[in-house]
Amino acid sequence: MYRNFFINILRTFGRNKFYTALNIIGLTIGLVCTILILLFIQDELSYDKYNVNYERIIRLGSDFTLNGKRDRVATSALPFGPTFKEEFPEVEEFVRFLGSGRQQFKYGDKIFYEERIAYVDSSVFKVFSFDLIKGNPDKALTEPNEIVLSETLAKKYFGQMDPIGKILLVGENKSYKVTGVMRDLPSNSHFRYNAFYSMKTLEKIRGTEEFNSTKPISFWSFSNYTFLLLKKHANSKVLLEKFPMYYNKYMKTLGDQLGVSYHLIIQNLADIHLHSDLQWDAPTGNVKYIYILFIIVIFILSIASINYMNMATARSTKIAKEVGIRKVVGAYRENLIRQFLAESVSITVFAFGIALIIVELILPLFNSLVNKNMVLSFSKTPELLLYSVGITILLGLISGIYPAFYLSSFHPSVILKGTFYKGKSSGLLRKLLVISQYAISAIMISGTIIVASQFVYMNNKDVGFNQKDILVAVVRDSVLRARIEPLKQELKKNPNITAVATSSGLIGFGGSKTVHLFEGTQGMEQYALNFNIVDFDYIDLMEMKVIQGRNFSRKFASDTSSAFIINQAAARKFNWNENSIGKKMQFGVKIEGSDGDVRPGNVIGVVSDFNYQTLENKIEPINLLVSEDPRTRRILHIKINPNNRSETITYIKKVWDKFSPNMSFSYFFLEDRMKENYQSEERLLWIFSIFSIISILIASLGLFGLASFMTEQCTKEIGVRKVLGASSGRLVYLLTREFLQLIIIANIVAIPLSYWALQSWLCDFSYRINIGLWVFVVTILSSVIIGLCTVSWHSYRAASSDPAKALTYE
Amino acid sequence: MIKTNNLVKVFRTDEVETTALNNVNLEINNGEFVAIMGPSGCGKSTLLNIIGLLDNPSQGELHFNGYQVEKYTERQRTNLRKENIGFVFQSFNLIDELTVFENVELPLLYLKVSSSERKKRVNEALERMNIAHRAKHFPQQLSGGQQQRVAIARAVISKPNLILADEPTGNLDSGNGEEVMNLLSQLNEEGTTIVMVTHSPSDADRSHRIIQLFDGHVVTENMRQKL
Ligand SMILES: Nc1ncnc2c1ncn2[C@@H]1O[C@H](COP(=O)(O)OP(=O)(O)OP(=O)(O)O)[C@@H](O)[C@H]1O
Ligand SMILES: [Mg+2]
């Protein structure tokens, strides 16, 4: 029975090589996309689950509202870890991570800058499954000035040597003893650390008493990530329920004094990558992309599946006879349905086989596109095999089910009389199927256009300052910070350097925030305001526009002590609008136990709004202060002539090395760094364009096959018409018209859908393009052109064929 | 074996209504060889299809082997048909993708006959139809006469007691036609009931009885004396 089944299937494929090939190509491409996307999704969902204890690990975040401004951050304060362990029996262990920023490492003659380093508690290896290749996990980070390196870093500095016990020089004057080497963190880890310093180091620097202090102010500085390992069967909800008691004990007094409301955020470790939307989080994935990719998979598979349906039912005239014969000799309808389903499933399974090979070949390319390191290994991830085989079989069944029911419904008596009446319903359904294919393609095309234009828009938007040709170097050397002015003078001697300025924070990456007082209708009011401390040359270098009052100037001695320049957003926020100049403001407020700066003063200028955060954020109020205090001169900006770039950079390096022989020079261009902000959009753009090309390609394959069936059927009719004197042009027109109608209807269906979908995507951006009519005009035009090219070849061939031959053909 | 009672068949396509059969009453006994004749379009094939349980009548009764079958579902008809009826057509109706052997084997597959038994019976039938040497060929590699012999082999493979033949010699030259008619007569002599539609008087001569159809009516039933 089954032997007959499959022999028959193979022969059927053999007889219909052309259509079988079209189907296999379509299904294969569809399955390649599916497997790749499944791999991607599986990787995204696997984040942090390599930790044996991942279900018991949670992270504490903070949700606080100060003066009506709510902030939700991924961090908490240093005392949280120890006090939680003390107060809550559910907590088994805690680990804190406190980032240390970029630092220079030195061993022998090897000097590099390293980033993604954190101070961590020694419990880290107990809580997380970080794999220590060398060193004792229980002892590795227990003493001050101990460091654990990633395998890559260890190789980089020590090569073949055993790093354990070696001393690494860090920064200007610190030294660390290597006590462990850990395997590089897996790529599906939300942590990106390359090295860990022992937390004891920080304790030593700050003093044990100060570091472990539980005085109120230390609970309100959300500087570090706190992870808790819960006891088995403990529920993190209990912590949330009991937290008010904790708050009352440790945080309430100062909280009330500051007028802050605070809520604890608890996140499961495994949820961080896809679901965390907190500030100060490590760069996370986006669950939205998973949905988008999922929809794209369904789109592409539907297109491939519709191809199969169309081509299978278009073959119906041929198949009808076979169905009739089989029924006459005793086949039940189920027998035939089973046979057709076996046909469609075998063809998809075959396509799946080819798809696996192709995936294996193009995976490196895909990996570099999505910036991952995935491997196709069914032994490592058997569920992937399960899903992809499941999807393949389902795809085969779905593709086959309609043809199976349609074809098996033919009545044996009608067929055998040779009077086979073509079902009207099948023609209509086929049209509907073609329409849905082209509607899907149209959605993909318009999606690509919109994502691309938004991307171009973000890259070219007037951000309120000129980011071009600004070289940025972060000054970590405190000695150099004190000698910034002479450095600036020396740099400016080069004619290719047009300006040099410093600031405390880097533009484009959010600001620092602190409580300000401002002159409101009822005296001074509080507001948590972004600020950046700049020098006298900063506003000019950035080419920001001063629209009220004046820029900072060295001529006014008071500028460094009491002058503020705010942006328009701040002027609006405080209701000062056009009359901002001279208004009273105060930077910072005095808090008991803190020695923070407080600076009262007046507004001397207003600059027009500039995007100091990414374009996903609206421009918020910001305050600029001027200072020549070395501590504030962290970011060095050098505006250079775009010509002679490399010579200028060599010059800068030379000057830098003269001023700071211990800390080597490293830099980046502001514009490049700003563009990195839009990497995820760029990636989406790539994904969209690739997959929309693929979906159009598959749909065209189907249309090509369908067109060749229809021309085959029309050959005779064309012959008659030509004998009767119709011109080829007219015939091409007739044949093409039907498909064009379908494509245009498809676009009309697609436009509202894609408008709605894209509008909701764009909603995430505060600065976004408008979806213009032209987008859809281009979409329609391109699908019409593609459709025309696909169909017209057949039409032309049929129309230009010899009429006599066509007539004797049947 | 077969008895019809006021059999009516009406075809409806769009707005046209064709009455293909109109109050047909006839009876066919076990072991008979009946020819159905009549002008083109008079309903011969329609009648054969209904008798062969490929189609249900619009009205009237149909008795088959003592069962009243006119209201049978497709499945019930298939069950009766595959055990009792074999078909032979003017245009042979072999499946192009299957070999001669596989075409003949097909009814046995749907009867769930074991594979060794199938092999035995197919070979016997092919032998008998004198076409065994072509078992591995595909239908299109055979002549019309050979194809029709394969079709007959397929019709008899399930050992049916009724064979329905719709102009079995219509596409064949006289020599091949003769051969096919000999096979049918032989089958009849062995006890198989045969109902055959034909336009050829000489073929009709082989039958016991000729039923004349005209415009959906039975006009005459002509009993013939078997020689
Ligand atoms: N499926 C159908 N739908 C509509 N009309 C049909 C159908 N099948 C047959 N008819 C009509 O019924 C009538 C009888 O047809 P039938 O095929 O039985 O004739 P016939 O006697 O076998 O003719 P021929 O000798 O040409 O084979 C004809 O008028 C035919 O057009
Ligand atoms: Mg007929």
Side-chain angles (χ1 to χ4, degrees):
Chain A
M1 184 89 201
Y2 290 99
R3 188 186 59 97
N4 182 287
F5 240 47
F6 289 108
I7 287 178
N8 192 20
I9 289 170
L10 281 181
R11 295 209 190 113
T12 312
F13 292 166
R15 293 233 164 185
N16 302 291
K17 284 190 197 77
F18 174 63
Y19 305 108
T20 309
L22 285 186
N23 267 323
I24 290 179
I25 295 173
L27 290 166
T28 304
I29 299 175
L31 285 169
V32 167
C33 298
T34 307
I35 299 170
L36 289 177
I37 290 176
L38 277 183
L39 271 169
F40 179 89
I41 292 178
Q42 147 153 337
D43 186 80
E44 288 284 294
L45 295 179
S46 74
Y47 262 69
D48 294 315
K49 290 186 183 155
Y50 63 91
N51 286 294
V52 178
N53 296 326
Y54 80 88
E55 282 166 309
R56 288 159 58 205
I57 301 175
I58 59 170
R59 185 176 71 181
L60 303 180
S62 302
D63 173 355
F64 57 97
T65 308
L66 179 59
N67 307 307
K69 173 81 176 76
R70 183 173 176 198
D71 279 292
R72 299 170 67 247
V73 298
T75 48
S76 47
L78 277 173
F80 274 47
T83 46
F84 265 70
K85 188 176 171 187
E86 210 173 281
E87 298 285 342
F88 301 112
E90 290 81 6
V91 177
E92 185 172 315
E93 195 48 273
F94 68 89
V95 187
R96 294 165 295 176
F97 293 79
L98 183 71
S100 91
R102 239 168 104 91
Q103 266 174 326
Q104 180 182 288
F105 280 23
K106 182 166 183 260
Y107 180 78
D109 55 353
K110 297 205 176 82
I111 305 178
F112 302 100
Y113 275 100
E114 301 299 345
E115 42 194 3
R116 303 198 189 119
I117 312 152
Y119 296 96
V120 297
D121 291 299
S122 59
S123 52
V124 64
F125 297 111
K126 190 173 143 205
V127 174
F128 295 97
S129 310
F130 299 157
D131 198 3
L132 218 54
I133 312 170
K134 290 205 173 98
N136 180 345
D138 296 328
K139 296 227 178 79
L141 293 171
T142 44
E143 297 299 322
N145 292 76
E146 290 183 336
I147 188 170
V148 168
L149 298 174
S150 73
E151 209 178 346
T152 310
L153 280 198
K155 284 231 174 68
K156 185 165 159 191
Y157 289 94
F158 303 104
Q160 298 302 317
M161 280 187 283
D162 182 3
I164 301 292
K166 299 270 186 318
I167 303 294
L168 201 63
L169 296 175
V170 173
E172 295 165 62
N173 50 16
K174 292 188 211 83
S175 58
Y176 283 86
K177 186 168 96 185
V178 180
T179 53
V181 175
M182 63 176 172
R183 205 177 294 289
D184 290 359
L185 295 182
S187 63
N188 59 353
S189 172
H190 90 277
F191 293 114
R192 286 272 168 265
Y193 295 118
N194 294 320
F196 293 135
Y197 302 136
S198 59
M199 193 58 93
K200 282 272 187 264
T201 316
L202 204 63
E203 189 172 333
K204 200 179 104 191
I205 297 170
R206 295 197 186 164
T208 304
E209 199 175 324
E210 167 70 19
F211 180 78
N212 292 318
S213 138
T214 52
K215 64 181 182 201
I217 186 70
S218 32
F219 283 86
W220 285 96
S221 158
F222 308 127
S223 57
N224 66 289
Y225 301 111
T226 306
F227 287 86
L228 302 179
L229 174 67
L230 300 181
K231 294 209 173 109
K232 290 207 172 85
H233 312 300
N235 186 340
S236 62
K237 281 209 186 82
V238 178
L239 294 190
L240 276 184
E241 279 159 20
K242 292 189 190 165
F243 182 72
M245 167 212 102
Y246 176 99
Y247 183 79
N248 288 342
K249 182 166 173 188
Y250 294 107
M251 301 174 73
K252 191 172 188 314
T253 323
L254 185 55
D256 288 351
Q257 200 180 320
L258 293 168
V260 194
S261 76
Y262 182 94
H263 297 277
L264 183 69
I265 299 173
I266 290 186
Q267 290 173 304
N268 294 321
L269 174 64
D271 289 342
I272 291 176
H273 176 65
L274 284 180
H275 298 285
S276 178
D277 56 350
L278 305 183
Q279 300 169 51
W280 300 341
D281 211 336
T284 54
N286 192 339
V287 79
K288 225 182 204 175
Y289 285 1
I290 299 221
Y291 296 139
I292 292 178
L293 287 172
F294 186 73
I295 290 171
I296 289 178
V297 163
I298 290 179
F299 275 5
I300 290 183
L301 288 183
S302 328
I303 293 180
S305 170
I306 288 174
N307 277 354
Y308 185 90
M309 294 181 199
N310 275 338
M311 287 194 244
T313 52
R315 274 196 300 152
S316 61
T317 350
K318 283 184 180 172
I319 287 180
K321 184 182 148 199
E322 186 190 326
V323 168
I325 296 168
R326 284 180 184 269
K327 280 193 171 175
V328 166
V329 301
Y332 298 126
R333 194 171 174 196
E334 305 84 282
N335 294 127
L336 297 168
I337 290 177
R338 231 177 290 149
Q339 180 189 334
F340 289 123
L341 288 180
E343 232 171 78
S344 60
V345 171
S346 344
I347 205 170
T348 41
V349 168
F350 183 70
F352 178 68
I354 307 177
L356 282 183
I357 298 171
I358 297 179
V359 166
E360 195 61 60
L361 292 176
I362 64 170
L363 194 55
L365 202 75
F366 184 68
N367 270 332
S368 65
L369 177 67
V370 298
N371 203 7
K372 281 188 188 292
N373 201 2
M374 302 175 293
V375 284
L376 183 66
S377 154
F378 289 136
S379 55
K380 260 192 217 152
T381 49
E383 64 273 16
L384 185 71
L385 178 69
L386 206 72
Y387 287 138
S388 47
V389 170
I391 287 177
T392 304
I393 290 173
L394 200 68
L395 175 68
L397 290 177
I398 289 173
S399 310
I401 201 102
Y402 161 66
F405 273 87
Y406 173 66
L407 298 173
S408 68
S409 72
F410 293 141
H411 217 280
S413 62
V414 177
I415 295 154
L416 298 178
K417 274 194 237 173
T419 48
F420 172 60
Y421 298 95
K422 223 170 61 179
K424 275 235 166 80
S425 60
S426 90
L428 183 68
L429 202 102
R430 197 142 68 218
K431 279 182 191 166
L432 283 178
L433 291 175
V434 173
I435 288 174
S436 39
Q437 282 186 312
Y438 271 81
I440 291 172
S441 301
I443 291 174
M444 299 291 288
I445 297 176
S446 50
T448 310
I449 299 176
I450 292 293
V451 176
S453 352
Q454 172 71 15
F455 184 70
V456 169
Y457 169 79
M458 288 192 301
N459 270 315
N460 296 327
K461 183 187 179 287
D462 176 13
V463 287
F465 59 92
N466 186 354
Q467 58 190 13
K468 289 223 171 356
D469 306 314
I470 296 175
L471 184 149
V472 177
V474 180
V475 186
R476 294 189 169 76
D477 184 345
S478 53
V479 182
L480 182 58
R481 280 187 198 171
R483 296 179 64 204
I484 279 288
E485 278 308 323
L487 174 79
K488 278 170 71 174
Q489 296 317 320
E490 182 89 19
L491 287 171
K492 271 196 269 189
K493 280 182 194 155
N494 186 316
N496 284 318
I497 294 178
T498 46
V500 186
T502 64
S503 67
S504 62
L506 180 59
I507 202 164
F509 296 86
S512 310
K513 212 173 243 190
T514 193
V515 181
H516 282 63
L517 299 180
F518 70 93
E519 190 181 332
T521 38
Q522 274 110 29
M524 297 304 272
E525 295 172 26
Q526 276 194 1
Y527 185 77
L529 187 62
N530 284 296
F531 69 93
N532 194 5
I533 305 176
V534 303
D535 69 4
F536 286 106
D537 303 311
Y538 183 81
I539 289 178
D540 282 339
L541 180 139
M542 286 291 176
E543 298 173 35
M544 293 172 177
K545 288 181 268 311
V546 179
I547 51 172
Q548 286 178 49
R550 60 170 177 88
N551 190 355
F552 295 122
S553 164
R554 289 187 179 81
K555 279 182 243 153
F556 298 85
S558 59
D559 273 9
T560 48
S561 60
S562 63
F564 302 120
I565 294 183
I566 57 173
N567 67 350
Q568 289 170 291
R572 277 193 303 273
K573 177 79 202 173
F574 303 148
N575 252 323
W576 296 338
N577 303 320
E578 318 301 285
N579 312 309
S580 306
I581 306 306
K583 289 286 195 255
K584 275 200 220 97
M585 253 172 68
Q586 178 180 310
F587 170 85
V589 287
K590 224 37 221 144
I591 299 172
E592 226 178 301
S594 107
D595 49 2
D597 259 345
V598 172
R599 186 194 288 194
N602 301 84
V603 175
I604 61 151
V606 176
V607 287
S608 68
D609 280 341
F610 59 99
N611 293 86
Y612 57 93
Q613 288 165 304
T614 66
L615 295 185
E616 281 163 44
N617 306 91
K618 270 245 173 290
I619 296 177
E620 285 174 24
I622 191 169
N623 177 26
L624 301 178
L625 299 77
V626 70
S627 167
E628 292 191 313
D629 179 337
R631 282 178 304 167
T632 66
R633 315 201 78 169
R634 227 167 57 82
I635 315 283
L636 180 69
H637 304 73
I638 305 168
K639 179 100 181 177
I640 62 170
N641 185 335
N643 309 317
N644 311 325
R645 240 188 191 204
S646 55
E647 286 154 47
T648 313
I649 292 170
T650 319
Y651 175 78
I652 297 170
K653 186 172 162 25
K654 215 176 74 206
V655 175
W656 177 286
D657 287 344
K658 198 171 97 193
F659 279 80
S660 176
N662 295 325
M663 301 292 274
S664 65
F665 175 64
S666 86
Y667 69 94
F668 54 86
F669 279 96
L670 185 60
E671 199 178 11
D672 299 343
R673 190 58 75 91
M674 299 284 283
K675 281 192 175 131
E676 280 172 23
N677 280 340
Y678 305 117
Q679 259 177 357
S680 80
E681 281 70 36
E682 192 174 4
R683 205 162 287 163
L684 187 67
L685 176 63
W686 271 103
I687 289 173
F688 250 117
S689 0
I690 289 174
F691 287 118
S692 63
I693 290 171
I694 287 173
S695 68
I696 294 162
L697 186 80
I698 305 180
S700 302
L701 282 178
L703 196 61
F704 189 76
L706 205 55
S708 84
F709 272 117
M710 297 184 68
T711 39
E712 222 170 79
Q713 277 172 9
C714 290
T715 313
K716 189 167 179 185
E717 193 195 327
I718 291 169
V720 175
R721 281 172 188 261
K722 278 181 95 170
V723 170
L724 294 177
S727 73
S728 298
R730 166 117 191 116
L731 294 173
V732 172
Y733 163 76
L734 281 177
L735 280 170
T736 313
R737 189 181 59 180
E738 184 176 346
F739 283 112
L740 273 190
Q741 278 169 349
L742 299 184
I743 291 172
I744 287 171
I745 294 172
N747 273 280
I748 290 169
V749 174
I751 286 171
L753 282 175
S754 69
Y755 182 84
W756 170 79
L758 293 166
Q759 197 66 54
S760 50
W761 177 70
L762 284 173
C763 264
D764 280 0
F765 299 90
S766 300
Y767 299 91
R768 54 177 180 255
I769 52 163
N770 288 315
I771 303 181
L773 196 62
W774 68 271
V775 174
F776 298 107
V777 173
V778 172
T779 306
I780 295 178
L781 276 182
S782 42
S783 48
V784 162
I785 290 170
I786 294 165
L788 266 183
C789 296
T790 316
V791 173
S792 59
W793 183 69
H794 288 293
S795 311
Y796 176 76
R797 210 183 44 157
S800 58
S801 64
D802 181 357
K805 223 167 151 189
L807 281 177
T808 50
Y809 182 72
E810 295 235 328
Chain B
M1 161 175 252
I2 296 158
K3 188 169 180 295
T4 70
N5 206 348
N6 291 333
L7 213 55
V8 175
K9 180 68 185 178
V10 181
F11 290 108
R12 281 186 194 85
T13 49
D14 293 339
E15 273 124 52
V16 194
E17 220 183 77
T18 318
T19 306
L21 294 177
N22 200 352
N23 289 325
V24 171
N25 292 299
L26 50 81
E27 205 172 336
I28 294 166
N29 296 315
N30 250 330
E32 266 197 295
F33 188 157
V34 177
I36 298 175
M37 298 188 75
S40 185
C42 69
K44 302 181 296 291
S45 299
T46 308
L47 180 60
L48 211 62
N49 281 338
I50 289 174
I51 293 174
L53 306 178
L54 292 175
D55 211 351
N56 270 340
S58 313
Q59 270 175 48
E61 289 174 10
L62 174 63
H63 298 266
F64 186 93
N65 272 351
Y67 302 104
Q68 190 169 345
V69 299
E70 75 271 359
K71 297 259 156 56
Y72 268 30
T73 60
E74 190 178 328
R75 195 182 175 86
Q76 287 172 310
R77 281 186 275 126
T78 305
N79 280 336
L80 263 186
R81 186 172 64 237
K82 68 179 173 186
E83 305 211 345
N84 298 297
I85 308 174
F87 285 87
V88 179
F89 303 94
Q90 178 179 2
S91 52
F92 325 131
N93 281 331
L94 299 173
I95 296 178
D96 296 336
E97 279 81 15
L98 300 184
T99 61
V100 164
F101 185 96
E102 289 158 352
N103 265 290
V104 175
E105 184 189 26
L106 212 51
L108 299 182
L109 283 174
Y110 292 120
L111 282 169
K112 301 214 155 68
V113 174
S114 75
S115 116
S116 56
E117 169 82 4
R118 285 200 309 264
K119 203 165 170 190
K120 203 180 101 212
R121 279 166 68 175
V122 172
N123 284 329
E124 267 170 30
L126 290 176
E127 211 96 351
R128 172 149 189 217
M129 297 301 148
N130 211 357
I131 194 87
H133 57 295
R134 297 296 186 119
K136 292 224 159 67
H137 287 76
F138 287 94
Q140 261 142 32
Q141 300 168 308
L142 306 183
S143 74
Q146 288 169 327
Q147 288 193 42
Q148 196 60 304
R149 297 211 301 273
V150 174
I152 295 172
R154 182 181 64 189
V156 300
I157 192 76
S158 57
K159 305 207 170 96
N161 40 33
L162 174 65
I163 286 184
L164 301 176
D166 196 345
E167 298 180 44
T169 59
N171 280 0
L172 302 175
D173 60 37
S174 58
N176 277 316
E178 191 64 28
E179 209 176 320
V180 165
M181 285 315 297
N182 287 341
L183 283 169
L184 288 178
S185 297
Q186 211 181 328
L187 286 168
N188 179 244
E189 270 153 34
E190 287 162 16
T192 314
T193 313
I194 292 184
V195 180
M196 174 181 75
V197 170
T198 185
H199 287 291
S200 145
S202 69
D203 287 356
D205 273 349
R206 305 267 194 143
S207 67
H208 305 163
R209 179 157 63 114
I210 296 171
I211 296 173
Q212 283 283 351
L213 275 188
F214 185 79
D215 207 7
H217 295 275
V218 176
V219 251
T220 53
E221 281 193 55
N222 186 357
M223 287 302 280
R224 292 173 47 83
Q225 204 56 45
K226 207 187 161 201
L227 299 173

